[in-house]
Amino acid sequence: IQGRVIVQFCVIYEGKVVDVVVVRGASQALDKEAIRVVSSSPLWTPGPQRGTPVDVLLTFPLHEVHQ
């Protein structure tokens, strides 16, 4: 199975990824795998606003996801 899955998630001020949702999916299996991979990613660098880390909402395409 292969395809492209677009996910949306929030990187909170601590750098953790939370609230991962599929915006456009390819199949149920790929959508579930995309959520798993993004949710288990290491800490991200949060967005700065006036020098202070803030929560940031991102939409992220995952191309050619294989299972």
Side-chain angles (χ1 to χ4, degrees):
I1 302 170
Q2 67 180 7
R4 183 174 76 170
V5 178
I6 300 175
V7 293
Q8 188 174 59
F9 55 92
C10 184
V11 176
I12 61 172
Y13 69 95
E14 298 170 334
K16 296 178 185 176
V17 173
V18 296
D19 302 331
V20 182
V21 294
V22 173
V23 176
R24 174 178 261 173
S27 73
Q28 211 171 29
L30 289 179
D31 297 353
K32 189 175 179 180
E33 181 66 5
I35 290 171
R36 185 193 69 77
V37 168
V38 172
S39 296
S40 65
S41 67
L43 292 179
W44 289 54
T45 302
Q49 187 173 38
R50 296 186 198 110
T52 304
V54 295
D55 297 352
V56 178
L57 186 65
L58 297 170
T59 303
F60 197 80
L62 298 170
H63 297 280
E64 296 301 319
V65 176
H66 297 273
Q67 183 184 32

